[in-house]
């Protein structure tokens, strides 16, 4: 943080006043350092920089002023000691775990996870001899069992993608301490505005910045936040050397995205709660899941650890008792609904200003086995809605019109 800012500032203020390092031009909007490298004053200075005797910018795979600004601002909003940016959310997930796990180490993970995270675990971590123990994230007995023996890391999403299960972060954090595990939370669905995993006891947080931090569907990016020991240690070592570095252009877009994150997410979350309430009561909807809606199975837990319920509503169409929710008729009904929507674009991003509809079973979670999907509650009737910045009444009318096709 800049030396002349009071240290009591709140996240909305930090979002526009941190990460600012003005050049001699005194620009208002943060400068973008679109450069791969930096000139040294002398061969001696280059030697000293490589030896680690002086701390200056050397090469943008190592560090870049625009990336530094993004990291500082996100760390300030999150209340984290340290932040390291990555090229994508998936490289953040990979590095958060890959930088500390080795052959024979135990990773305990909730089984409800984003599809590419599960693919990374199954195709690489498994092959490299990392022992992965999956648990039902909402079953305290399974957490007790899994963390009664030492583990190196614990990994969860809360709320989960796409079914929005809310996991008890403080309870899992207590068990992680006993097991000696580093507890990492993917906070993409909740956002830094709606949930603070580090305050709830987690050791580290990962983001796909591609989602709400950009918020306008422009660039890919990711971030890992936590203690300086972890982030400036294994995380930095791995990103710098394996090259999962974010581009300065993307970091600049995300830096500016952080300035409007809170207002966007609050608006989108208010619309999401209103739509979840309306959809949950709709005769063509079996259930509309939203963490802060009273019908959510972990509603009390969500209220206790989330200040906003996120910007997503996950619904299941009600096709009556005779339709197999895993069958082609169910899929056809979901597709008719999605194809009839005019304001919800069919896509697989989330957190965008534009509302988005996604059919998880055939897209984001299509590599999971049908049994695996059934186990976490994803069926052919499941549709994930990312609520954008449109007028909520227009979104409601769009959904009503499309539900007539079900
Ligand atoms: C919960 C969650 N984590 C991680 C990711 C990966 O992010 P990225 O697409 O930026 O690599 C996604 C992407 O959809 C996600 O939804």
């Amino acid at each position: 943080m800049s030396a002349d800012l009071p240290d009591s500032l709140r996240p909305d203020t930090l979002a526009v006043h941190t990460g600012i390092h003005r050049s001699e031009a005194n620009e208002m909007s943060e400068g973008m350092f679109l450069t791969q490298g930096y000139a040294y004053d002398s061969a001696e200075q280059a030697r000293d920089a490589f030896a680690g005797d002086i701390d200056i910018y050397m090469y943008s795979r190592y560090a870049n002023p625009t990336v530094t600004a993004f990291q500082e601002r996100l760390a300030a909003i999150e209340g984290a000691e340290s932040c390291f940016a990555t090229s994508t959310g998936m490289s953040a997930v990979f590095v958060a775990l890959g930088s500390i796990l080795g052959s024979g180490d135990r990773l305990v993970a909730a089984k409800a996870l984003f599809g590419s995270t599960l693919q990374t675990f199954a195709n690489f971590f498994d092959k490299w001899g990392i022992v992965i123990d999956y648990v039902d994230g909402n079953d305290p007995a399974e957490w007790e069992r899994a963390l009664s023996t030492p583990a190196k890391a614990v990994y969860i999403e809360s709320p989960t993608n796409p079914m929005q299960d809310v996991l008890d972060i403080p309870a899992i954090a207590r068990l992680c301490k006993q097991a000696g595990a580093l507890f990492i939370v993917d906070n993409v669905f909740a956002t830094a505005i709606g949930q603070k995993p580090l305050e709830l006891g987690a050791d580290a947080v990962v983001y796909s910045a591609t989602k709400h931090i950009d918020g306008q569907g422009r660039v890919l990016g990711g971030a890992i936040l936590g203690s300086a020991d972890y982030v400036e240690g294994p995380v930095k070592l791995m990103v710098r050397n394996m090259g999962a570095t974010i581009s300065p252009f993307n970091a600049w877009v995300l830096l500016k995205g952080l300035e409007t994150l809170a207002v966007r997410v609050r608006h989108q979350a208010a619309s999401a709660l209103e739509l979840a309430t309306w959809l949950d009561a709709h005769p063509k909807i079996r259930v509309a899941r939203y963490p802060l809606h009273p019908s959510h199975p972990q509603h009390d837990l969500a209220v206790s650890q989330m200040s906003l319920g996120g910007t997503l509503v996950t619904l299941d169409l009600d096709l009556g008792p005779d339709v197999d929710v895993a069958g082609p008729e169910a899929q056809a009904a979901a597709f008719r609904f999605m194809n009839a929507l005019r304001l919800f674009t069919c896509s697989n991003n989330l957190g965008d200003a534009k509302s988005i509809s996604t059919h998880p079973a055939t897209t984001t979670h299509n590599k999971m086995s049908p049994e695996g999907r059934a186990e976490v509650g994803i069926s052919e009737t499941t549709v994930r809605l990312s609520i954008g910045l449109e007028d909520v009444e227009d979104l409601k009318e769009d959904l009503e019109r499309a539900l007539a096709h079900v």
Side-chain angles (χ1 to χ4, degrees):
M1 201 188 303
S2 157
D4 47 4
L5 287 177
D7 54 14
S8 58
L9 295 177
R10 295 161 182 84
D12 285 24
T13 311
L14 294 170
V16 289
H17 284 287
T18 50
I20 296 175
H21 303 276
R22 291 198 167 100
S23 75
E24 63 281 3
N26 246 349
E27 63 281 353
M28 265 303 282
S29 176
E30 294 73 358
M32 190 202 300
F33 289 80
L34 208 52
T35 179
Q36 51 69 36
Y38 310 85
Y40 301 100
D41 291 342
S42 63
E44 288 78 4
Q45 191 189 35
R47 178 200 58 203
D48 294 348
F50 272 80
D53 297 337
I54 52 170
D55 189 15
I56 56 172
Y57 289 104
M58 298 158 65
Y59 188 53
S60 284
R61 175 154 53 74
Y62 287 15
N64 169 284
T66 314
V67 175
T68 303
F70 169 58
Q71 292 169 167
E72 285 178 4
R73 188 169 287 178
L74 182 54
I77 296 170
E78 191 75 35
E81 203 177 357
S82 219
C83 171
F84 211 83
T86 57
S87 54
T88 64
M90 278 320 302
S91 56
V93 173
F94 180 87
V95 170
L97 290 164
S99 65
I100 55 165
L101 292 172
S103 176
D105 286 338
R106 221 172 133 248
L107 164 66
V108 177
K111 59 178 88 156
L113 294 174
F114 175 55
S116 294
T117 302
L118 289 169
Q119 285 290 305
T120 301
F121 292 0
N123 291 304
F124 301 101
F125 286 7
D126 214 25
K127 186 171 74 181
W128 295 337
I130 295 162
V131 181
I132 308 170
D133 197 350
Y134 289 102
V135 301
D136 173 348
N138 288 120
D139 185 343
E142 285 208 23
W143 283 112
E144 290 269 0
R145 175 200 56 76
L147 295 175
S148 61
T149 46
K152 192 79 183 251
V154 168
Y155 187 83
I156 67 162
E157 293 169 11
S158 185
T160 60
N161 183 0
M163 300 314 287
Q164 310 234 44
D165 293 339
V166 176
L167 276 61
D168 191 335
I169 297 175
I172 299 168
R174 280 191 292 276
L175 293 170
C176 285
K177 297 272 173 300
Q178 277 172 37
L182 188 93
F183 181 23
I184 304 167
V185 177
D186 177 330
N187 204 36
V188 163
F189 264 45
T191 80
I193 306 304
Q195 177 170 270
K196 298 268 190 253
L198 300 176
E199 286 175 14
L200 295 166
D203 298 304
V205 173
V206 296
Y207 285 109
S208 163
T210 317
K211 309 296 187 285
H212 303 87
I213 293 177
D214 176 328
Q216 293 176 61
R218 297 162 293 190
V219 301
L220 295 161
I224 303 167
L225 298 107
S227 70
D229 273 357
Y230 167 64
V231 175
E232 303 295 326
V235 165
K236 187 167 167 177
L237 182 71
M238 186 174 224
V239 179
R240 282 181 157 193
N241 290 294
M242 55 94 85
T245 315
I246 192 169
S247 89
F249 176 80
N250 289 9
W252 184 85
V253 171
L254 298 170
L255 173 72
K256 300 305 282 177
L258 284 176
E259 293 186 350
T260 56
L261 177 68
V263 281
R264 285 185 284 105
V265 168
R266 283 193 199 110
H267 181 99
Q268 289 169 267
S271 297
L273 177 58
E274 184 170 338
L275 290 175
T277 307
W278 177 77
L279 284 165
D280 203 53
H282 197 284
K284 298 238 171 123
I285 301 292
R286 192 165 61 72
V287 59
R289 280 178 213 82
Y290 186 71
L292 293 191
H293 188 264
S295 70
H296 190 284
Q298 296 98 35
H299 175 254
D300 291 347
L301 176 62
V303 170
S304 75
Q305 65 185 28
M306 300 176 76
S307 57
L308 286 175
T311 67
L312 291 113
V313 178
T314 307
L315 59 84
D316 268 290
L317 299 170
D318 191 349
L319 305 177
D322 300 332
V323 174
D324 173 10
V325 295
E329 208 181 323
Q331 185 183 101
F335 283 11
R336 272 200 309 280
F337 166 62
M338 289 176 61
N339 291 337
L341 289 165
R342 292 180 205 158
L343 296 179
F344 286 82
T345 309
C346 177
S347 185
N348 43 275
N349 193 23
L350 60 92
D352 196 326
K354 296 181 176 69
S355 289
I356 290 172
S357 70
T358 310
H359 189 249
T362 54
T363 60
T364 51
H365 291 69
N366 75 333
K367 300 283 187 311
M368 261 174 117
S369 67
E371 299 74 32
R373 280 197 296 269
E375 226 181 311
V376 295
I378 304 170
S379 77
E380 294 290 341
T381 63
T382 307
V383 177
R384 190 187 78 186
L385 299 176
S386 170
I387 312 302
L389 288 171
E390 302 91 341
D391 188 308
V392 69
E393 293 306 321
D394 288 332
L395 295 178
K396 219 180 270 178
E397 285 167 20
D398 196 36
L399 291 163
E400 184 72 284
R401 199 167 39 230
L403 283 167
H405 294 255
V406 174

